[in-house]
Amino acid sequence: MNPIVTVQDAVTAFADFMEPTDAELDAIEREMPVILADVELLDAHITTLDRIPTELDNRRIRRARRRALAARVALLNRSAGASLPGGAA
């Protein structure tokens, strides 16, 4: 019979090296408005899962979808503006 052993030591042995870098944390910070807008959109959809959406629910979903799209466009515009020489877009 083979004994069952945990692999926690093997997994956690590299935990110090698996921390996000400063560049990764900065990227997450830049994307935070998109993340929050997506969470708001998910919340709007989740509220309507167990019932028929009312007109107010539909407006909330449309508004959340517009905010999510606007946040994505703003992120893309910032990224494109930062990558072009001279800041021309």
Side-chain angles (χ1 to χ4, degrees), residues 40-41 44-45 47-48 53-67:
E40 183 180 342
L41 179 58
H45 280 291
T47 58
T48 62
T54 64
E55 182 58 33
L56 185 62
D57 293 330
N58 289 331
R59 281 190 266 165
R60 182 178 179 211
I61 290 171
R62 283 193 307 265
R63 185 172 42 247
R65 186 177 293 130
R66 283 193 306 266
R67 286 181 183 153

Side-chain angles (χ1 to χ4, degrees), residues 7 9-10 21-22 26 29 36 38 40-41 58 65 76 79-80 82 89:
V7 293
D9 291 337
T21 64
D22 289 339
D26 289 340
E29 190 66 31
L36 294 175
D38 285 345
E40 183 180 342
L41 179 58
N58 289 331
R65 186 177 293 130
L76 287 173
S79 298

